[in-house]
Amino acid sequence: MKRNTEFCYSELAEVLRVQIKSGYIRSGEYLLSETELSQKYGISRTSVRRALLELQNEQLVVKLAGKGTVVSETVQVQQLEKNELVIVCPYPSMFCIKALPILIQMFEERCPGVEIKMLTLPYKESLFEELSALGIKADLFIASDQQFRFMPKDAFTPISSSIVSQDQIPPPIYDSFVFDKQLFAAPVTYSPVFLAYRKDVFQRYNVELPRTGWSIDQFISAAKSLTLDTDDDGLIDLYGMALSSAATRWPVFALKKGADPIGKEGKEASLLDWMYALSFMQDMIYRHRTVPIFAINDIFLGQQLFEEGRVAMTLTSTLALSKQNDPYYNIAPFPVGFDKGGMLIANGMMVAADSSNKALAQLFIEQCLDPDVQLSMIAEARFLSVYDRVNSKVWSKEDLKSLGVQPDQIIHSKCIGDLFPVDVHLSELEETMKMYWSGLEEPQALVRRLHDR
């Protein structure tokens, strides 16, 4: 018991020391009270007092009777002995391209004694061997919920409840980063896969706009009405809908029908939902011919066609739209019949177990999860915060409902990493579906094959 107490107080002392020396807490600013520190870090007040006494002896803080503990006026922001924080990012990642630089800039402005470096690499099984070969010792890793499944958990430190509060984050987002009952990645942002449409294209060709309560037949009719040869040269140059073979998109139709994740013990009703969704998409491609076929296997091309106004509707995410600050797209509600669940893509931050800057890495995560920082991030990058109360300040109630992320909706959604068996890589899944996307395998046969694999 004594050893554990010593560890707790020394750990807290290091956390506060890093916050002070980096400039996160500045001269003249008060620390949290002893009671607040005790509650936040889950240690006794006796341990808190020992930690504060250590900082007093280092002349970093001064205890003022009846007021609290304040950072000493003599403290100058220092270049820490280990002042570099190395963050490894997956490639490609729109979060790392658009949102992470915002978070880094805010942190470096708050902590002038710290320099953050980003390293972008494709996430493969050999990731850690490659980093070792390059002589790179990373402190933080960014991972999607799907990538998280394949990260070796023994290479990371569990995230403390003092940094991430479980009751403030939607359960599907939080749970997607839990392993063996411990949180190994701090969720920082997420997006549902949603239906986006080009209002200007609908209006140009006098097609009724998507609305709450529209039927599947109305959806198909709109897609067919917007599949056109606009210049009368005999070739279709405007399509009603873009579909992608990427497993980060199409499963949303099955989940919106109420399907359960794919597995050997799938219920018959769930199998029928998967079959319906896959039949619906195959019909859109080959019966109604409203989908640009070549873009099916190129998610970036499909996104480009939508951005250029050559596709009227598409499945996408807030993480993927590259022109997020331009009002060129609107969020459409899914038609009635596709309204029972949803699919989510989450991004989290993991602290390397061998990081020499764990306290600084944890401080970075803590700032990223500050509600004001989350607000700045989503206002500038047009992403979603992990806090519902923050999202409501930027996104309209109608949009949040269409996205399916209101508290009573999101609990029925699932993250991509939870849709398929642990041993299934999305790239392998996409490979096994080529015959289906070519129109040469029936949905019923595909679903049975996937569930029985």
Side-chain angles (χ1 to χ4, degrees):
M1 182 65 67
K2 180 179 179 181
R3 183 176 301 170
N4 185 54
T5 301
E6 290 179 348
F7 170 77
C8 288
Y9 100 81
S10 61
E11 181 181 50
L12 176 59
E14 176 61 15
V15 167
L16 296 176
R17 186 181 293 112
V18 167
Q19 291 181 2
I20 293 169
K21 289 188 175 182
S22 67
Y24 189 79
I25 305 177
R26 304 187 179 185
S27 297
E29 293 183 348
Y30 282 88
L31 275 59
L32 295 176
S33 69
E34 291 181 2
T35 299
E36 290 171 326
L37 287 171
S38 174
Q39 293 173 345
K40 180 177 176 63
Y41 293 98
I43 60 178
S44 68
R45 290 188 65 177
T46 299
S47 294
V48 171
R49 292 190 188 103
R50 290 187 67 182
L52 294 177
L53 179 60
E54 188 169 305
L55 297 181
Q56 279 183 267
N57 292 337
E58 296 172 13
Q59 298 183 341
L60 293 176
V61 299
V62 176
K63 191 167 184 178
L64 303 178
K67 293 185 177 181
T69 304
V70 64
V71 177
S72 173
E73 295 288 352
T74 62
V75 171
Q76 300 294 322
V77 174
Q78 304 174 16
Q79 290 290 321
L80 300 178
E81 183 178 345
K82 300 170 182 175
N83 66 337
E84 187 176 273
L85 196 63
V86 178
I87 303 178
V88 176
C89 305
Y91 175 84
S93 169
M94 287 306 298
F95 167 74
C96 292
I97 293 172
K98 294 190 68 69
L100 188 57
I102 297 171
L103 299 173
I104 289 175
Q105 181 181 351
M106 295 180 71
F107 187 79
E108 289 182 335
E109 289 175 352
R110 180 74 182 268
C111 304
V114 180
E115 179 185 2
I116 297 179
K117 292 186 177 181
M118 285 176 54
L119 178 65
T120 302
L121 290 171
Y123 276 18
K124 300 181 293 186
E125 292 183 0
S126 59
L127 173 63
F128 288 90
E129 289 78 3
E130 291 179 15
L131 289 173
S132 178
L134 293 170
I136 295 172
K137 193 171 184 180
D139 301 296
L140 281 169
F141 287 77
I142 308 298
S144 69
D145 61 277
Q146 193 274 331
Q147 291 162 340
F148 174 79
R149 296 195 308 162
F150 301 100
M151 301 292 264
K153 306 306 182 293
D154 58 356
F156 298 95
T157 299
I159 305 296
S160 169
S161 59
S162 66
I163 298 174
V164 180
S165 179
Q166 181 175 0
D167 59 0
Q168 294 185 24
I169 296 175
I173 305 298
Y174 185 95
D175 294 343
S176 68
F177 293 117
V178 171
F179 176 79
D180 197 21
K181 298 183 180 181
Q182 290 183 296
L183 184 70
F184 274 86
V188 289
T189 188
Y190 75 98
S191 172
V193 175
F194 65 92
L195 181 62
Y197 73 99
R198 294 288 305 238
K199 183 177 181 180
D200 58 335
V201 175
F202 273 76
Q203 292 177 331
R204 186 182 308 136
Y205 297 101
N206 298 312
V207 177
E208 185 178 0
L209 298 178
R211 56 180 175 80
T212 301
W214 66 331
S215 67
I216 292 176
D217 286 342
Q218 288 173 319
F219 173 87
I220 294 171
S221 176
K224 292 170 70 174
S225 297
L226 291 167
T227 301
L228 300 167
D229 171 12
T230 64
D231 55 8
D232 296 320
D233 66 351
L235 299 174
I236 300 297
D237 51 21
L238 173 64
Y239 285 90
M241 179 74 186
L243 288 173
S244 172
S245 61
T248 56
R249 292 291 182 271
W250 67 263
V252 69
F253 279 120
L255 295 177
K256 287 285 184 181
K257 284 293 295 179
D260 294 325
I262 286 180
K264 292 183 179 180
E265 299 180 358
K267 298 178 181 177
E268 187 63 26
S270 178
L271 298 185
L272 293 175
D273 289 333
W274 283 100
M275 292 176 191
Y276 182 94
L278 288 162
S279 296
F280 170 78
M281 290 187 291
Q282 210 170 58
D283 285 348
M284 292 292 290
I285 300 167
Y286 295 107
R287 294 185 189 277
H288 307 306
R289 300 182 180 181
T290 60
V291 176
I293 292 179
F294 190 77
I296 291 173
N297 294 315
D298 189 338
I299 190 172
F300 299 106
L301 175 59
Q303 192 73 40
Q304 178 185 338
L305 294 176
F306 178 69
E307 292 175 358
E308 292 175 356
R310 293 195 279 179
V311 164
M313 294 183 286
T314 190
L315 295 176
T316 188
S317 73
T318 58
L319 302 172
L321 293 168
S322 63
K323 298 179 181 177
Q324 293 158 18
N325 294 322
D326 297 339
Y328 79 100
Y329 74 93
N330 292 80
I331 301 168
F334 280 84
V336 173
F338 289 113
D339 50 12
K340 293 183 179 178
M343 186 165 79
L344 307 170
I345 304 170
N347 281 294
M349 295 183 178
M350 307 178 73
V351 179
D354 62 353
S355 168
S356 56
N357 272 329
K358 285 183 183 177
L360 194 58
Q362 292 167 349
L363 180 60
F364 180 77
I365 293 176
E366 192 167 348
Q367 171 162 304
C368 291
L369 289 173
D370 180 273
D372 290 335
V373 173
Q374 287 268 306
L375 180 60
S376 296
M377 176 189 71
I378 71 170
E380 187 170 341
R382 195 67 177 166
F383 284 6
L384 283 170
S385 167
V386 291
Y387 305 130
D388 178 65
R389 67 184 186 277
V390 174
N391 290 325
S392 63
K393 295 180 180 180
V394 175
W395 294 82
S396 70
K397 186 176 181 180
E398 180 181 359
D399 279 347
L400 291 173
K401 183 176 181 180
S402 294
L403 289 171
V405 297
Q406 292 184 320
D408 62 334
Q409 296 174 304
I410 198 170
I411 57 173
H412 301 295
S413 296
K414 296 177 178 65
C415 283
I416 291 174
D418 298 324
L419 295 184
F420 308 104
V422 175
D423 62 337
V424 175
H425 286 261
L426 297 190
S427 58
E428 295 174 358
L429 175 66
E430 292 163 7
E431 184 70 23
T432 66
M433 293 181 64
K434 282 186 175 181
M435 294 294 283
Y436 160 79
W437 290 111
S438 299
L440 300 175
E441 182 177 27
E442 293 185 351
Q444 293 82 354
L446 172 63
V447 171
R448 297 293 181 187
R449 183 162 58 84
L450 291 177
H451 275 77
D452 294 340
R453 90 182 277 281

